[in-house]
Amino acid sequence: MTYAKTPSGKTSKGKVSVRPDSSSVKACFPRTYFEGSKQIKLATGIPNDENWESSAKRLERRLQQELEDGKLDDGNGNFNIGRYQEILEDYGLRAKLRIIKSASLADGQLPPKPELSVLEIWDMYCEYRKNDLSETMHKLMYCGTYTNFIKDAIKAVGEHPIKIRAWLLDNRSHSTVKNLLSALSQAYVTAKRQKLVNDNPFDGLSDGIEEKKQVKILHQDDELEDESDITDKSKAFTWSEAEAILEHVKNQPKIKFLYLFLKFKFLTGCRTGEAIALWFADIKWDKEHIVIRRSYNRTLKIFKPTKNETERFFPMPKNGELWNLLKSIPEGKPNEVVFKNRSGNILNYDSIAKVWSGHKYNPDGIIPLLIKQGKVSKYLRCYNTRHTFITHQIFDLGRDEKIVNAWCEHSQDVSRRHYQDIADRALQINPELPVNNQQIQQTNSEVESLKELVKQQSEQIKALQELIASLQPKLDK
């Protein structure tokens, strides 16, 4: 039994499909057969490897037949989870069903239901939360980190909730475990509402967990966005070191493609993901500023809002360094990224890190080599170009920290309302000039404006005098 595929690759309406979804192979049932608007997606137990498709097709045909025969309906318009598990058992995809113990049944009482595993409950909960969690939270935490934690714990100690909790606390971050156990409890609350389970064995298991500080190990190529020390000069390059870095990159043919990208980071102080995510549409030539409105998530390979979900405006004075840098790049389509690798594709975090810090095939990355040459005093990550810009503006150029925050949004205790109050003023300031030069430039501009005003008034007075002179003979008569 085969079914036509739609252009998106999904089966047509009203058909069962068994396919990889998130991190596992799931059976996806059409909405039209059951009550409720959410599509039912359930784990199958089929390994998500290169051989998944043949097993999936066999199961898909069986489920379609059962669906059409009405066997997957519990008689009340709800999905028959017990029958589904029996089918998985027939195909060797699930162990023999464990029946929940109960007293002898009275007349009209429902028979005992098969007991769902922890992973089955969790898998259904992940699907349930899919539309109300952010994509990164759903895919990375719920379907990624949390799911892997549960699998590891079950593999080690089985499905006993207390043992799962103890193993997780011994082997994983306490703060993450606390959040996971709370989510597991909510998963069982949801399952109880659907009458899939009778109790919640994870209720209260997250209580009393204190966050245990882990030893933090930093590697040279880690791109950790830690901004707690953003104005610490010891965590920034000096401006002369920044210039040495750019000069080195500019003169190395193999890594020259990174020159514009790194210079942009040094000139704006934006985060690495924000620089990668800059589109041509974000460059406002007529208004002489750029808009920083999105970031690039390297794990999911998607564009998403900035860290604080705001839009920032960064001044780009005409014919200044930033203006000329962006003008040197051939303009692409509005939704095309500005900075690309040698192949013309979006920049890759890992490749940037390897070029910056070195790797086993080329130990002398940019910074280690410049340290050997005495041009840079210490190793700092590529992310610290942001620290460098901020400390250069505040300590070298004497810039008001509120202005720098409006450009970079580095202070977490500055509210969005305050950010908006200062943003217009920040756009009028040239980040390429020291504060004193800026004031001199503004004074000169004001003097020129006064001169122009005096000139205009003189011309108006002269015109009035000529008009009076022309009318004087008529007045004398």
Side-chain angles (χ1 to χ4, degrees), residues 357-464:
S357 62
H359 52 92
K360 64 180 180 179
Y361 300 112
N362 181 22
D364 285 336
I366 295 170
I367 305 305
L369 181 60
L370 291 178
I371 291 174
K372 286 182 181 179
Q373 295 175 355
K375 296 179 180 179
V376 171
S377 61
K378 57 185 175 292
Y379 180 87
L380 294 171
R381 297 171 293 113
C382 185
Y383 188 77
N384 288 59
T385 55
R386 177 168 167 81
H387 296 61
T388 303
F389 170 82
I390 291 171
T391 56
H392 175 60
Q393 289 292 326
I394 294 173
F395 298 108
D396 297 343
L397 303 184
R399 195 82 62 212
D400 186 334
E401 188 171 348
K402 294 187 185 69
I403 297 295
V404 182
N405 184 71
W407 291 338
C408 303
E409 207 175 43
H410 64 275
S411 176
Q412 295 181 1
D413 60 353
V414 176
S415 69
R416 292 185 183 183
R417 181 188 60 77
H418 180 72
Y419 169 78
Q420 291 301 328
D421 290 344
I422 202 76
D424 290 340
R425 178 184 162 203
L427 265 179
Q428 307 304 315
I429 295 177
N430 186 344
E432 297 172 15
L433 293 176
V435 171
N436 290 339
N437 286 25
Q438 183 84 39
Q439 292 170 346
I440 292 171
Q441 187 183 56
Q442 290 173 345
T443 302
N444 291 340
S445 177
E446 290 170 0
V447 170
E448 291 299 321
S449 297
L450 287 172
K451 285 181 179 179
E452 182 63 27
L453 180 62
V454 170
K455 181 181 176 182
Q456 291 175 3
Q457 290 176 340
S458 297
E459 291 175 352
Q460 290 173 355
I461 292 170
K462 184 178 179 181
L464 285 171

Side-chain angles (χ1 to χ4, degrees), residues 237-254:
F237 295 108
T238 65
W239 199 245
S240 60
E241 288 176 332
E243 291 173 334
I245 292 168
L246 292 174
E247 186 66 22
H248 172 76
V249 174
K250 185 178 181 179
N251 293 317
Q252 298 296 317
K254 290 185 178 180

